[in-house]
Amino acid sequence: MTRILTGIQSSGKPHLGNILGAIKPSIELSKNSKNESLFFIADLHSLINIKDSKIMNENTLAVAASWIAMGFDHDKNYFYRQSKITEVCELAWYLNCFTPYPMLSNSHSFKDKSDNLSDVNSGLFTYPVLMAADILLYDSEIVPVGKDQKQHLEITRDIAKSFNHNYGETFIIPESKIDKNVQTIPGTDGRKMSKTYENTIDIFADEKSLKKQIMSIVTDSKGLDDKKNPETCNVFNIFKLIASQVEVKEMEKKYTEGGYGYGHAKTHLFNLILELYYDERKLYSELIKNKDHLFNILEKGERKAKIIAEEVLVRVRSRLGY
Ligand code: TRP
């Protein structure tokens, strides 16, 4: 069994970009029977930015409901909230004492914000150390992440090696898995789909809001009769990520022939999303209404995860002489 672990940012309801770029590929990986997957909601990392208990709670539930709705098998694997395995904070402290200051001051997560130091809390500064603790606490072997997290994985490996060098083999040195095939998903304005740009398509939103988002996709001003270029059209570029090859060819033909308006293409995209994600949308809306059920699922995962965490910490404490 290969142990796969990844942390999921809990920044609210996942959008199409998150689904195609992260959730689906991770779930695929977890379906391999040779893998054992630990997927957790990184709600301690969220505290760096989110200082509102209601939002914290809602975000956690939305993330949990989406992963389950998209088919993550939480029975076979591990699905938990980072904050519930408090051992991670103890380990993070130990690891802090093996982390050279320059390693953190060179980390992108800090550097990007360091021109305004009064806005930086030490949680942001030590973000990579908590992330190292997330990974090392569970003897993780493979960590699938986006390219932006590559440096954090290198920091994790360096910290683990430094500890092992001092105290003998204690931690497994994890490998990152950066999927180069994952494309950037364009948002409604053609830039990368992201909450920050407010250009997302929220496949779990109610029909009315979803329609509004799709109708807001930016296009050029060609009229109904004009021949259109599919390649430069945001509607087509989103459509082709989810449609079948036949559907893509059909739409391409309509664009190049003319007599097919952007409104038609948007309606087509809207209907395709409703059809394609019918079951997932239904499941999501049922799950999100039933908080107790979601919490029960997470608690079950937390009980299992805690067993591994405790074992590893016993090993670490004894190495340290505590
Ligand atoms: N920092 C990761 C991100 O922003 C989330 C994360 C937290 C994570 N802890 C982790 C990812 C441990 C992998 C392993 O996406």
Side-chain angles (χ1 to χ4, degrees), residues 5-9 40 42 45 127 131 134-135 143 145 149 152:
L5 173 139
T6 198
I8 307 157
Q9 279 186 31
F40 67 92
H45 279 113
Y127 181 115
M131 187 159 157
D134 288 331
I135 298 169
V143 184
V145 283
Q149 299 296 315
H152 290 150

Side-chain angles (χ1 to χ4, degrees), residues 3 44 134 143 149 161 201 214 260 267 273 283 299:
R3 188 169 287 167
L44 290 174
D134 288 331
V143 184
Q149 299 296 315
K161 284 180 193 160
I201 293 179
I214 292 174
Y260 183 72
T267 306
I273 291 180
L283 189 54
E299 280 161 15

Side-chain angles (χ1 to χ4, degrees), residues 139-282:
D139 283 339
S140 316
E141 296 166 82
I142 307 282
V143 184
V145 283
K147 323 192 249 310
D148 61 323
Q149 299 296 315
K150 192 167 184 265
Q151 190 192 30
H152 290 150
L153 257 296
E154 276 154 18
I155 295 178
T156 300
R157 289 165 58 87
D158 286 345
I159 297 175
K161 284 180 193 160
S162 156
F163 191 104
N164 286 356
H165 183 73
N166 261 269
Y167 289 97
E169 289 306 305
T170 309
F171 293 120
I172 291 179
I173 310 296
E175 303 280 343
S176 60
K177 184 178 184 304
I178 294 157
D179 194 344
K180 298 203 176 57
N181 298 325
V182 171
Q183 328 98 302
T184 307
I185 313 298
T188 53
D189 59 359
R191 290 186 289 175
K192 178 186 169 172
M193 191 180 291
S194 157
K195 282 206 178 70
T196 327
Y197 299 150
E198 296 181 12
N199 64 356
T200 61
I201 293 179
D202 296 316
I203 69 150
F204 295 122
D206 60 75
E207 274 189 35
K208 199 168 155 228
S209 325
L210 180 61
K211 187 162 198 171
K212 199 167 155 221
Q213 288 176 340
I214 292 174
M215 293 303 159
S216 77
I217 299 176
V218 179
T219 61
D220 59 33
S221 52
K222 287 211 170 84
L224 177 71
D225 293 333
D226 296 333
K227 294 183 172 152
K228 302 177 179 67
N229 181 358
E231 269 151 49
T232 55
C233 175
N234 294 327
V235 187
F236 181 80
N237 284 330
I238 299 172
F239 183 83
K240 75 172 183 210
L241 296 171
I242 55 173
S244 70
Q245 270 182 1
V246 178
E247 288 168 318
V248 173
K249 282 268 165 285
E250 269 171 19
M251 190 182 275
E252 210 162 27
K253 192 159 163 271
K254 287 180 181 156
Y255 266 73
T256 47
E257 279 175 348
Y260 183 72
Y262 291 123
H264 294 134
K266 289 176 180 178
T267 306
H268 200 149
L269 174 63
F270 173 64
N271 289 332
L272 179 68
I273 291 180
L274 290 186
E275 184 192 310
L276 210 58
Y277 294 110
Y278 179 82
D279 293 337
E280 289 83 352
R281 286 172 50 81
K282 193 158 165 275

